[in-house]
């Protein structure tokens, strides 16, 4: 029995504890991301935003959550029940499990796997299923149109995201996320790979179905796209997943281009602050840009979206991969085997 | 090791069950969803044997790209389910034959080492142990040196298939009004907006 305790139960409980420490802050921070988005949007359009519930309206998101939680779950008559209920669950689970490989600081990661980048890419490429299943199972025109748009959009932008990741991997020489961050000591990849950074950030906007690429849920034409038939908890799961995905994509961008937990300069006042705080600050900065873009840009037309993905981003990122590889070989900058 | 064994049998059982459901499900969309479940669990098996790179590529390529397109097409088709099930017995012999041939081929490949030890020595490349290098590195080192011509050849075949698909579906129709993004964004205020004084009752 002792073997069972030390061999399975203890590491098992330790893993569960790590998961809880990881997931709970993410779930709670979603509430504050929503609050921050509403507040920033309000300030940008000269309104006040939420200011009634709690100090400065800080508890608004929790109030909304409790309200929506007690609503009735409605399943449409024509809906395919199992798929209809599975869709939000899949979306939420995918948004959460991706956090397992995100390093919050040196060694501060639940699963430090060799192929961390590929894992994140795989998880984000599966995100489309939740939306497509929701759209199909709802048995509604609006939901279906939204799902179709979303599938095409996410598949298109994944291609150029893949090439961006390849160019970063060429420079690093490893697929481990901690190794990628460590490789940026001295110079963040956002500077030498600036075009890739811009392409990657715009692609993450499309991947998370955020403005100006929110065609799947364009409320002026599709009501709310794939979410139209959802209510109560199933809607909350979609909503939480969307914002958790935003934070996740900001985290990935930070790791790939903004030096993860590294301070901007490795000198006295900056490296006093722990790496985790730098990491969270960088995520907050990118989240602010997400909201800023939403407040500033109008929605893209569908053909413009496809044109940008296939005719602009794909060739540019492909050429940049070739250039990066060529420069690394020509100047002898190839990463040495570690 | 018990946990690994349990995980293996769990993944394997789900793969077989969902593979059966792929051909048994009444609704084609459910079939595709079960196919995706099978792919996903196959990736789980790859993780169990330590082939993490193949597992992730499996999920990215099959689950993330190929199956999405399957699902896309199947959802858009207007399929008569009853008609679809009618040809089942007609196609059964052909399907069984293909399955049998595949199984015989697999047995040949897997037992080649024990029957003639020369074969794997001639065809296989030495692979370093998992502990020494990551399997991404091991795969790359073999794929881009020893098998470079085969690798390039498969790339060419896929390229030709892509061009073929584009040529087959390319139709040029008359009277299509294309969007020209350069022209659209190049418009200026002077050429698109005009302010006129309109006399009452006079019209523009």
């Amino acid at each position: 029995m002792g073997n069972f305790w030390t061999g399975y139960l203890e590491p098992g409980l330790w893993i569960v504890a790590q998961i809880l420490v990881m997931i709970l802050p993410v779930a709670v921070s979603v509430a504050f991301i929503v609050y921050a988005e509403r507040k920033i949007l309000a300030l940008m359009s000269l309104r006040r935003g939420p200011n009634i519930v709690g100090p400065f309206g800080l508890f608004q998101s929790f109030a909304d959550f409790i309200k929506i939680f007690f609503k009735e779950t409605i399943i449409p008559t024509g809906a395919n029940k199992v798929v209809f209920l599975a869709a939000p669950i899949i979306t939420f689970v995918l948004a959460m499990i991706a956090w397992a490989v995100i390093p919050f600081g040196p060694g501060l990661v639940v699963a430090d796997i060799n192929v961390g980048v590929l894992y994140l890419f795989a998880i984000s490429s599966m995100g489309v299923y939740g939306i497509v299943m929701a759209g199909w199972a709802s048995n509604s025109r609006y939901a279906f149109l939204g799902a179709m748009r979303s599938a095409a959009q996410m598949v298109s932008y994944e291609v150029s995201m893949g090439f961006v990741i390849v160019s970063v991997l060429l420079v690093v020489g490893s697929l481990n996320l901690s190794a990628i961050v460590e490789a940026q000591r001295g110079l963040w990849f956002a500077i030498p790979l600036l075009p890739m950074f811009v392409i990657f950030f715009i692609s993450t906007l499309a991947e998370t179905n955020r403005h100006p690429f929110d065609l799947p849920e364009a409320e002026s034409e599709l009501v709310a796209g794939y979410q139209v038939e959802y209510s109560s908890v199933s809607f909350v799961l979609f909503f939480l997943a969307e914002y958790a995905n935003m934070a996740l994509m900001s985290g990935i961008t930070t790791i790939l281009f903004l030096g993860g937990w590294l301070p901007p300069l490795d000198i006295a006042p900056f490296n006093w602050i722990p790496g985790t705080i730098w990491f969270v600050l960088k995520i907050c900065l990118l989240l602010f840009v997400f909201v800023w873009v939403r407040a500033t840009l109008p929605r893209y037309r569908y053909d413009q979206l496809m044109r940008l993905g296939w005719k602009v981003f794909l060739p540019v990122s492909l050429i940049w991969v070739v250039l990066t590889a060529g420069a690394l070989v020509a100047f002898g900058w190839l990463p040495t085997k570690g | 090791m018990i946990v690994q064994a349990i995980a293996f049998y769990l993944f394997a059982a789900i793969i077989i069950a969902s593979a059966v459901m792929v051909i048994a499900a009444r609704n084609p969309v459910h079939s595709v969803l079960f196919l995706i479940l099978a792919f996903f669990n196959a990736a789980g098996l790859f993780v169990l044997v330590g082939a993490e790179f193949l597992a992730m590529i499996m999920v990215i390529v099959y689950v993330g790209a190929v199956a999405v397109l399957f699902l896309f097409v199947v959802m858009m088709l207007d399929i008569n389910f009853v008609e679809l099930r009618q040809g089942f017995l007609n196609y059964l012999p052909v399907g069984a034959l293909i399955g049998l041939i595949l199984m015989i081929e697999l047995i040949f490949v897997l037992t080649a080492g024990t029957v003639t030890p020369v074969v794997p020595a001639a065809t296989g490349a030495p692979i370093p142990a998992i502990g020494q290098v990551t399997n991404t590195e091991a795969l790359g080192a073999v794929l881009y040196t020893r098998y470079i011509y085969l690798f390039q050849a498969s790339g060419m075949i896929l390229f030709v298939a892509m061009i073929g698909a584009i040529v087959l579906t390319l139709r040029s129709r008359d009277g299509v009004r294309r969007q020209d993004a350069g022209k659209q964004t190049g418009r200026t205020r002077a050429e698109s907006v005009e302010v006129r004084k309109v006399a009452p009752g006079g019209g523009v």
Side-chain angles (χ1 to χ4, degrees):
Chain A
M1 254 350 249
N3 189 26
F4 178 72
W5 169 253
T6 52
Y8 294 111
L9 211 54
E10 201 184 327
L13 286 176
W14 179 233
I15 291 170
V16 170
Q18 279 180 320
I19 292 171
L20 284 179
V21 168
M22 191 74 176
I23 292 305
L24 287 180
V26 170
V28 173
S29 68
V30 165
F32 289 104
I33 295 171
V34 175
Y35 167 77
E37 177 176 36
R38 293 177 66 177
K39 207 74 181 170
I40 295 167
L41 277 180
L43 292 175
M44 282 183 180
S45 48
L46 296 180
R47 291 179 289 117
R48 286 229 182 126
N51 61 353
I52 303 295
V53 189
F56 308 106
L58 267 172
F59 300 143
Q60 181 67 47
S61 301
F62 297 100
D64 288 345
F65 176 76
I66 291 166
K67 182 189 125 195
I68 204 164
F69 198 79
F70 285 108
K71 297 231 170 190
E72 183 192 354
T73 306
I74 300 166
I75 299 175
T77 329
N80 194 313
K81 215 178 243 175
V82 178
V83 182
F84 184 80
L85 290 177
I89 297 172
I90 288 177
T91 309
F92 181 72
V93 168
L94 287 176
M96 287 295 148
I97 59 174
W99 287 94
V101 294
I102 298 284
F104 275 77
L108 273 182
V109 50
V110 176
D112 194 19
I113 60 176
N114 282 333
V115 287
V117 176
L118 286 180
Y119 175 83
L120 286 177
F121 195 54
I123 297 296
S124 79
S125 72
M126 284 198 298
V128 67
Y129 282 113
I131 294 173
V132 172
M133 282 165 71
W136 178 78
S138 298
N139 203 6
S140 145
R141 303 288 186 283
Y142 290 128
F144 191 66
L145 277 173
M148 286 293 124
R149 284 181 180 185
S150 168
Q153 173 179 330
M154 289 172 90
V155 170
S156 308
Y157 279 83
E158 232 165 63
V159 182
S160 52
M161 266 175 90
F163 281 120
V164 173
I165 291 175
V166 166
S167 69
V168 172
L169 295 182
L170 279 173
V171 181
V172 179
S174 170
L175 277 76
N176 182 299
L177 289 169
S178 303
I180 291 173
V181 173
E182 279 303 326
Q184 300 179 60
R185 203 170 274 282
L187 187 63
W188 294 356
F189 288 151
I191 297 161
L193 299 174
L194 184 66
M196 294 277 102
F197 174 50
V198 175
I199 287 179
F200 191 80
F201 185 73
I202 296 174
S203 298
T204 58
L205 290 178
E207 233 2 61
T208 46
N209 296 321
R210 289 287 300 178
H211 304 249
F213 306 109
D214 65 334
L215 290 135
E217 44 186 295
E219 61 275 344
S220 51
E221 32 179 323
L222 291 182
V223 195
Y226 62 92
Q227 306 171 341
V228 125
E229 304 292 347
Y230 283 90
S231 59
S232 186
V233 181
S234 51
F235 176 77
V236 169
L237 288 180
F238 270 125
F239 198 74
L240 284 176
E242 182 181 335
Y243 283 84
N245 267 331
M246 273 166 66
L248 176 74
M249 284 296 175
S250 307
I252 298 174
T253 315
T254 306
I255 290 166
L256 290 181
F257 293 102
L258 295 178
W261 65 77
L262 298 174
L265 290 167
D266 203 4
I267 49 172
F270 292 117
N271 55 20
W272 288 344
I273 301 167
T276 312
I277 292 182
W278 279 120
F279 187 66
V280 173
L281 277 179
K282 286 170 190 173
I283 288 183
C284 290
L285 177 76
L286 286 172
L287 282 174
F288 173 74
V289 181
F290 265 81
V291 179
W292 187 12
V293 166
R294 175 176 176 178
T296 316
L297 295 175
R299 182 175 301 132
Y300 260 55
R301 213 172 52 209
Y302 190 70
D303 64 296
Q304 292 171 329
L305 174 91
M306 284 297 148
R307 183 181 160 274
L308 186 70
W310 289 107
K311 292 186 177 170
V312 181
F313 283 179
L314 183 60
V316 169
S317 54
L318 198 54
I319 288 169
W320 196 267
V321 168
V322 175
L323 280 180
T324 312
L328 288 173
V329 173
F331 299 110
W333 291 336
L334 275 176
T336 47
K337 253 168 81 171
Chain B
M1 292 307 283
I2 295 174
V3 173
Q4 277 94 326
I6 293 173
F8 171 78
Y9 285 113
L10 186 70
F11 285 141
I14 295 176
I15 290 177
I16 292 170
S18 50
V20 169
M21 287 307 290
V22 171
I23 52 171
R26 285 177 169 271
N27 192 328
V29 174
H30 290 175
S31 290
V32 178
L33 291 177
F34 277 114
L35 185 68
I36 293 160
L37 189 63
F39 284 151
F40 196 70
N41 282 283
L45 285 184
F46 274 126
V47 171
L48 279 185
V49 293
E52 65 223 5
F53 182 76
L54 284 181
M56 292 306 149
I57 292 295
M58 179 98 189
V59 174
I60 293 170
V61 174
Y62 284 93
V63 180
V66 176
V68 173
L69 297 179
F70 272 8
L71 200 61
F72 206 87
V73 171
V74 169
M75 278 180 179
M76 302 242 263
L77 291 177
D78 185 24
I79 304 169
N80 186 346
F81 300 138
V82 183
E83 203 176 291
L84 200 72
R85 317 247 0 135
Q86 278 172 353
F88 188 70
L89 280 178
N90 294 352
Y91 294 119
L92 194 63
V94 183
L97 189 69
I98 293 173
L100 197 68
I101 291 172
L102 275 177
M103 200 173 86
I104 293 171
E105 280 179 348
L106 269 179
I107 290 172
F108 272 137
V109 171
L110 293 176
T111 55
T114 49
V115 179
T116 50
V118 196
V119 176
T123 55
I127 300 168
I130 288 175
Q132 286 170 6
V133 291
T134 62
N135 55 54
T136 316
E137 243 179 276
L139 266 178
V142 179
L143 204 58
Y144 290 100
T145 53
R146 192 178 167 111
Y147 298 115
I148 181 72
Y149 295 117
L150 292 173
F151 184 69
Q152 294 284 348
S154 58
M156 289 307 287
I157 291 168
L158 288 175
F159 190 50
V160 170
M162 190 175 84
I163 294 174
I166 293 171
V167 168
L168 282 175
T169 52
L170 191 67
R171 285 182 303 166
S172 49
R173 284 180 298 171
D174 292 333
V176 178
R177 299 172 68 191
R178 294 198 179 281
Q179 306 267 8
D180 186 347
K183 232 184 219 170
Q184 287 171 351
T185 51
R187 278 178 14 142
T188 58
R189 186 192 159 94
E191 64 190 73
S192 46
V193 181
E194 193 179 354
V195 181
R196 284 199 197 175
K197 279 262 186 262
V198 182
V204 181

